Amino acid sequence: MLGKGVVGGGGGTKAPKPSFVSYVRPEEIHTNEKEVTEKEVTLHLLPGEQLLCEASTVLKYVQEDSCQHGVYGRLVCTDFKIAFLGDDESALDNDETQFKNKVVGENDITLHCVDQIYGVFDEKKKTLFGQLKKYPEKLIIHCKDLRVFQFCLRYTKEEEVKRIVSGIIHHTQAPKLLKRLFLFSYATAAQNNTVTDPKNHTIMFDTLKDWCWELERTKGNMKYKAVSVNEGYKVCERLPAYFVVPTPLPEENVQRFQGHGIPIWCWSCHNGSALLKMSALPKEQDDGILQIQKSFLDGVYKTIHRPPYEIVKTEDLSSNFLSLQEIQTAYSKFKQLFLIDNSTEFWDTDIKWFSLLESSSWLDIIRRCLKKAIEITECMEAQNMNVLLLEENASDLCCLISSLVQLMMDPHCRTRIGFQSLIQKEWVMGGHCFLDRCNHLRQNDKEEVPVFLLFLDCVWQLVHQHPPAFEFTETYLTVLSDSLYIPIFSTFFFNSPHQKDTNMGREGQDTQSKPLNLLTVWDWSVQFEPKAQTLLKNPLYVEKPKLDKGQRKGMRFKLCLQTQNFSLTESTKERAVMHQRQLSLPLTQSKSSPKRGFFREETDHLIKNLLGKRISKLINSSDELQDNFREFYDSWHSKPTDYHGLLLPHIEGPEIKVWAQRYLRWIPEAQILGGSRVATMSKLLEMIEEVQSLQEKIDERHHSQQAPQAEAPCLLRNSARLSSLFPFALLQRHSSKPVLPTSGWKALGDEDDLAKREDEFVDLGDV
């Protein structure tokens, strides 16, 4: 009967040739039978989370050449995430999954984390959006955290395919209203169960007391004052309720142009110089209004520029620095290097790695940001000048540069609490439009620009170059970047404090309803268990020594030698094993950006700039600034590093590297087994454990009692089981591909010669 049905013919006497062909491998049949007999995996829902649609008999592929291996299970879509529920044993759900996020699982994708959705039709990959007339046999999801998921729908019922594909497209790509975010559903459902972490001492800067404390900490209270003129957002919805301005500035001036054209304090240096920011006045064509604005700015300028006692340098970041379009274009190219569908695609891009990396310009943008921050640091530290950052709304590049300057100059910002407080002050209260820049509402793709991610990448360069200076680790920065897309935290889901307070009910007219209590991302216990949180704290962090003056010089030299040895060991290891994919560009002359200097100090130049006039003729392009910068930069790097003083990054060619942990962590072919920084860290922790054990034995002799055994961070105990992808992956499968894709190198020489040359390096990969 089967044969007749297949061939579609009449009933002849000759038996038909069997036409059934199995496309399922024996191991897949075994896996499928095993799953059927097991208990169905339960879908865990957060408070307020609702199931929207699902499909069964979905095959989730592993990242393999032929994409024929995988796990069967259910694919579900809720109002919070897309989740795959497969074989719980294959997910390695045991003690070896040591760095486990309690909110987002290994096979979970929050709806805000979805970047692009593709469908495969007859082996052709197409972008999916809107209403579909035909549904794909394979679904590919590219995530903003650079994960790639592939699901085979060939064995799923047609109706279920339509529901799940349409549901995923709609709930990840359709424009949303702010109140429809899962953030509010979760906050409402969990309102009575929300418990804040008592150990979280992050300064939120939502009270006048917080700003006064920061002024006192930085000794800025002699020249600047915290004001409450915007309390209740009466003056400007863009500014926070409380902020700091120069003491001589009358508060009524803040109200004049709704906070525009006002120098707002960011930070004060130990020598009295300060970092300020200002948003431009609205552009006007009327000569009368222009004259009023000019007179207003002239008065404002005199409050901060009083030579010879106070001199101000201005930096226009809107016209004389990066554009947001440059950042977005560069990152769009850069991320494609890491959104790899399979091993074949990985090796095909390997031959073009340097050219693709350079053409993206992402590393060059990082270099330019760090260089700009060093220039401003030199102006404040060496020349004792105030610096005024100018931008249209002072909420994008102002946040980026001011934060980098404070990281370089203020050791408090290099502690975890200090860093979190810095982000609260400069980004959250500074009015950075996280909602638009991350495109959480999917309302305007043109507004999406990864400014905050660029900042974290710049911070990683500093952490990578000066590990003992930071209390937090690169893993901390990586999970912080992931938290941008988890809509249970309010930190990165509003455009301004006013928008947050209004939608939380604090500014609403309904006084009967209780304001929502939204979580902040700084409560890390929501995402990670205490054991996993140990990976967020740097065990090599050098705390400020409490020594007398005679001891400090020797300690500083000793710490410098320790760091140089640490860096030498690590760099040697990386050069030996990172043959698979280089993480920085070779030492070649980078694209030279036009020489840019500070504005001249005349008041008229500042006024013309803020009024939106063309300012290219006013830029001081002399070599004086470049000479000062080079002298300052070289002088600092020629001395031993003081981890609790000024900290400058190296910005020459190969010193700016790819943030490997964030960008390569989901690509098995890019791992280094038992190598990279994690291996070095593991060995150092073993040494620390041994020293602690010896110290305990000494104490035991002195006190004649049994001292408790110190427990080393168990997450790094067995270095043989670790790879460079740790803690986001343990040992993964070896790639079956050669290190060099010989099929693409035929034009460069004989394949045998290339294979022989590459064999010299292959064995090093297993070191």
Side-chain angles (χ1 to χ4, degrees), residues 120-180:
V120 176
F121 303 85
D122 300 326
E123 304 301 324
K124 293 182 180 179
K125 179 178 169 183
K126 298 180 180 178
T127 306
L128 301 182
F129 54 88
Q131 295 289 334
L132 300 182
K133 296 181 179 179
K134 183 180 179 182
Y135 289 86
E137 58 191 37
K138 184 195 294 185
L139 192 67
I140 302 175
I141 301 177
H142 286 184
C143 305
K144 292 183 179 180
D145 62 3
L146 305 180
R147 289 181 295 170
V148 175
F149 288 86
Q150 300 188 57
F151 302 103
C152 175
L153 306 174
R154 189 177 300 164
Y155 313 110
T156 310
K157 294 179 181 178
E158 185 177 351
E159 286 302 315
E160 292 184 0
V161 171
K162 291 181 180 179
R163 278 199 300 269
I164 194 66
V165 173
S166 300
I168 289 175
I169 293 174
H170 174 74
H171 292 290
T172 59
Q173 296 185 353
K176 302 178 181 65
L177 297 174
L178 178 60
K179 277 290 191 178
R180 298 300 299 271

Side-chain angles (χ1 to χ4, degrees), residues 16 23 50 60 76-77 164 228 259-260 368 458 465 506 563 569 573 614 620 630 675 704 706:
Y23 294 94
Q50 296 181 349
K60 176 181 174 289
V76 303
C77 180
I164 194 66
S228 57
H260 289 276
R368 290 170 64 184
C458 292
Q465 293 181 24
R506 292 181 180 176
T563 310
T569 303
K573 181 76 172 179
R614 293 184 59 85
N620 181 3
R630 178 51 61 181
S704 300
Q706 180 69 30

Side-chain angles (χ1 to χ4, degrees), residues 273-342:
S273 62
L275 183 63
L276 305 141
K277 63 182 177 182
M278 182 187 289
S279 58
L281 288 173
K283 297 180 181 179
E284 295 288 348
Q285 302 297 327
D286 185 86
D287 291 338
I289 297 178
L290 284 173
Q291 189 61 37
I292 294 174
Q293 290 182 344
K294 180 178 179 180
S295 177
F296 171 76
L297 290 174
D298 185 47
V300 168
Y301 189 71
K302 289 178 180 178
T303 65
I304 57 176
H305 182 69
R306 294 174 292 181
Y309 307 106
E310 284 193 89
I311 300 176
V312 174
K313 288 287 188 179
T314 59
E315 264 295 334
D316 179 36
L317 300 178
S318 292
S319 304
N320 189 33
F321 191 48
L322 292 167
S323 69
L324 297 181
Q325 183 61 46
E326 282 182 87
I327 297 173
Q328 175 61 22
T329 301
Y331 186 71
S332 296
K333 294 179 181 178
F334 178 72
K335 70 180 180 181
Q336 295 305 319
L337 295 172
F338 312 101
L339 290 168
I340 305 296
D341 288 351
N342 51 60

Side-chain angles (χ1 to χ4, degrees), residues 4 157 212 244 560 570 739:
K4 290 182 180 180
K157 294 179 181 178
C212 292
V244 176
C560 177
E570 180 195 356
V739 173

Side-chain angles (χ1 to χ4, degrees), residues 158-394:
E158 185 177 351
E159 286 302 315
E160 292 184 0
V161 171
K162 291 181 180 179
R163 278 199 300 269
I164 194 66
V165 173
S166 300
I168 289 175
I169 293 174
H170 174 74
H171 292 290
T172 59
Q173 296 185 353
K176 302 178 181 65
L177 297 174
L178 178 60
K179 277 290 191 178
R180 298 300 299 271
L181 291 179
F182 179 73
L183 176 71
F184 297 100
S185 302
Y186 179 82
T188 303
Q191 190 163 8
N192 297 326
N193 300 324
T194 303
V195 179
T196 57
D197 185 1
K199 297 181 181 179
N200 179 22
H201 302 297
T202 303
I203 308 299
M204 306 303 289
F205 291 97
D206 54 358
T207 65
L208 194 64
K209 182 180 178 181
D210 290 346
W211 288 99
C212 292
W213 179 88
E214 181 72 356
L215 274 174
E216 185 176 350
R217 186 187 70 83
T218 60
K219 305 296 186 293
N221 49 0
M222 300 298 293
K223 300 178 182 178
Y224 300 90
K225 62 181 179 181
V227 295
S228 57
V229 65
N230 197 38
E231 198 168 31
Y233 306 101
K234 296 176 292 188
V235 175
C236 177
E237 296 179 356
R238 177 182 52 84
L239 293 174
Y242 312 99
F243 50 91
V244 176
V245 296
T247 301
L249 185 74
E251 290 191 13
E252 54 266 22
N253 281 13
V254 179
Q255 307 175 35
R256 188 83 176 273
F257 292 100
Q258 296 183 329
H260 289 276
I262 297 298
I264 295 177
W265 176 86
C266 297
W267 182 77
S268 288
C269 183
H270 62 87
N271 61 14
S273 62
L275 183 63
L276 305 141
K277 63 182 177 182
M278 182 187 289
S279 58
L281 288 173
K283 297 180 181 179
E284 295 288 348
Q285 302 297 327
D286 185 86
D287 291 338
I289 297 178
L290 284 173
Q291 189 61 37
I292 294 174
Q293 290 182 344
K294 180 178 179 180
S295 177
F296 171 76
L297 290 174
D298 185 47
V300 168
Y301 189 71
K302 289 178 180 178
T303 65
I304 57 176
H305 182 69
R306 294 174 292 181
Y309 307 106
E310 284 193 89
I311 300 176
V312 174
K313 288 287 188 179
T314 59
E315 264 295 334
D316 179 36
L317 300 178
S318 292
S319 304
N320 189 33
F321 191 48
L322 292 167
S323 69
L324 297 181
Q325 183 61 46
E326 282 182 87
I327 297 173
Q328 175 61 22
T329 301
Y331 186 71
S332 296
K333 294 179 181 178
F334 178 72
K335 70 180 180 181
Q336 295 305 319
L337 295 172
F338 312 101
L339 290 168
I340 305 296
D341 288 351
N342 51 60
S343 295
T344 301
E345 186 176 336
F346 175 87
W347 293 114
D348 287 344
T349 61
D350 195 64
I351 191 174
K352 302 175 289 185
W353 172 253
F354 281 127
S355 59
L356 292 173
L357 182 60
E358 185 176 20
S359 64
S360 73
S361 298
W362 181 251
L363 296 186
D364 187 58
I365 284 178
I366 293 172
R367 180 182 296 105
R368 290 170 64 184
C369 290
L370 293 173
K371 184 174 185 291
K372 180 64 69 178
I374 296 173
E375 289 176 359
I376 294 171
T377 298
E378 184 272 335
C379 198
M380 297 177 66
E381 178 77 16
Q383 301 185 42
N384 198 14
M385 291 182 179
N386 296 334
V387 176
L388 179 64
L389 303 177
L390 308 175
E391 193 181 12
E392 184 177 353
N393 289 314

